[in-house]
């Protein structure tokens, strides 16, 4: 399913199924609500593809993943309470297997079932909105659209490169003013999501290393506290991600149906 070109009046539905008509930026002398605008740079032709279906799937997947991380945090709190009954020097192998271990295993299985599909669908959506942004405003980007996928798999760089792409996509998906002036849409939601997500990823990495090397109750308790913080931060990041996905998708819908200029 693809967007319609904004050079004609908005269609009755937000995402119709037109032919491969390219998205065109009005040139000098083009009649639009704000009057003539300066000559715009040439825009390459391309077919816009609606991110709406992916955004809907992501809303459900991110919500499920956030719920699982909340459950994992609760299981971690229970584990902390349970281990308080053992001496701090008690070895991991001497702990009795009970409800705490079962909850931890269940939380891990649920995370695998929800997090992996969420990652796959998110990256597909991210690449699609980046591709649409390149048609809206190709001059807004410093990296090719392939980096919308590749940047997530580069160690360390995955903590800032996808954010750069997201910022540029956000800008490219923002309508200009009625007079053709460039506008900057507030990106507080985007930044908040990214900061919380990055912190949760870092804390989660530290938790994994400490937990894997823990042998005594004291070491497990210390690692468990980090695990709870990581789960709660990931849950919050998931909620913010839902809002970000829905907002950016709506912005691209508006660009595709109403054109690059906001109504007066």
């Amino acid at each position: 399913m693809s967007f319609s070109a904004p050079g004609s009046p908005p269609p009755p539905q937000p995402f119709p199924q037109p032919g491969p008509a390219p998205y065109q930026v009005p040139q000098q002398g083009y009649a639009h609500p704000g009057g003539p605008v300066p000559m715009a740079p040439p825009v390459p032709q391309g077919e816009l593809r609606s991110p709406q279906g992916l955004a809907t799937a992501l809303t459900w997947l991110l919500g499920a993943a956030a719920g699982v991380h909340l459950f994992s945090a609760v299981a971690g709190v229970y584990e902390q309470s349970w281990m308080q009954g053992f001496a701090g020097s008690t070895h991991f192998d001497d702990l009795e297997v009970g409800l705490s271990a079962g909850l931890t295993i269940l939380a891990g299985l649920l995370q695998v079932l929800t997090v992996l599909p969420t990652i796959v669908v998110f990256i597909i959506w991210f690449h699609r909105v980046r591709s649409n942004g390149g048609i809206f405003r190709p001059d807004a980007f410093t990296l090719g659209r392939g980096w919308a996928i590749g940047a997530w798999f580069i160690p360390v760089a995955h903590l800032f490169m996808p954010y750069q792409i997201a910022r540029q996509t956000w800008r490219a998906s923002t309508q200009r003013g009625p007079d053709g002036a460039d506008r900057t849409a507030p990106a507080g939601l985007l930044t908040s999501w990214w900061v919380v997500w990055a912190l949760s990823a870092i804390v989660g990495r530290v938790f994994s290393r400490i937990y894997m090397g823990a042998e005594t109750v004291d070491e497990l308790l210390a690692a468990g506290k980090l695990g709870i913080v990581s789960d709660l931060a990931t849950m919050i990041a998931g909620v913010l991600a839902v809002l970000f996905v829905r907002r950016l998708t709506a912005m691209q819908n508006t660009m595709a149906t109403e054109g690059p200029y906001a109504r007066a």
Side-chain angles (χ1 to χ4, degrees):
M1 183 179 294
S2 60
F3 291 106
S4 62
S8 57
Q13 298 181 355
F15 295 111
Q17 297 180 347
Y23 177 89
Q24 298 289 347
V25 172
Q27 301 296 313
Q28 185 173 8
Y30 182 92
H32 70 96
V37 297
M39 181 69 71
V43 178
Q45 296 184 0
E47 185 176 1
L48 299 168
R49 300 182 63 192
S50 170
Q52 188 64 55
L54 291 170
T56 300
L58 267 179
T59 297
W60 288 99
L61 287 170
L62 286 167
V68 167
H69 280 286
L70 176 60
F71 173 77
S72 180
V74 172
V77 172
Y78 179 82
E79 183 181 52
Q80 291 275 311
S81 175
W82 174 71
M83 285 193 297
Q84 293 291 341
F86 297 89
S89 59
T90 303
H91 195 274
F92 175 80
D93 295 334
D94 296 329
L95 295 176
E96 299 177 1
V97 177
L99 178 60
S100 176
L103 290 175
T104 301
I105 293 173
L106 177 60
L109 290 175
L110 291 175
Q111 286 180 357
V112 171
L113 292 175
T114 57
V115 173
L116 291 180
T118 301
I119 291 174
V120 172
V121 177
F122 184 89
I123 291 178
I124 295 173
W125 171 86
F126 194 70
H127 180 264
R128 180 165 297 186
V129 294
R130 162 60 183 88
S131 298
N132 287 340
I135 298 174
F136 291 141
R137 293 187 63 176
D139 60 319
F141 296 92
T142 56
L143 297 171
R145 64 181 184 177
W147 286 105
I149 297 176
W152 295 97
F153 300 97
I154 302 177
V156 181
H158 73 279
L159 294 175
F160 61 87
M161 283 184 65
Y163 174 71
Q164 177 185 357
I165 296 170
R167 288 277 304 192
Q168 293 172 349
T169 303
W170 188 274
R171 176 173 179 263
S173 304
T174 302
Q175 286 183 304
R176 296 178 183 270
D179 59 352
D182 195 9
R183 298 193 308 175
T184 301
L189 175 60
L190 164 60
T191 302
S192 298
W193 160 64
W194 189 260
V195 169
V196 176
W197 178 84
L199 289 176
S200 69
I202 294 172
V203 174
R205 186 74 58 85
V206 174
F207 157 72
S208 297
R209 291 188 177 183
I210 296 178
Y211 187 84
M212 294 300 294
E215 296 182 352
T216 66
V217 166
D218 282 342
E219 292 171 343
L220 288 171
L221 286 171
K225 290 182 176 64
L226 285 176
I228 294 171
V229 172
S230 175
D231 281 325
L232 292 177
T234 304
M235 179 198 68
I236 296 172
V239 174
L240 292 174
V242 169
L243 299 177
F244 162 65
V245 168
R246 293 175 66 87
R247 176 58 181 155
L248 182 53
T249 298
M251 289 167 64
Q252 293 206 341
N253 180 27
T254 300
M255 282 282 286
T257 57
E258 297 182 6
Y261 299 101
R263 295 176 179 176

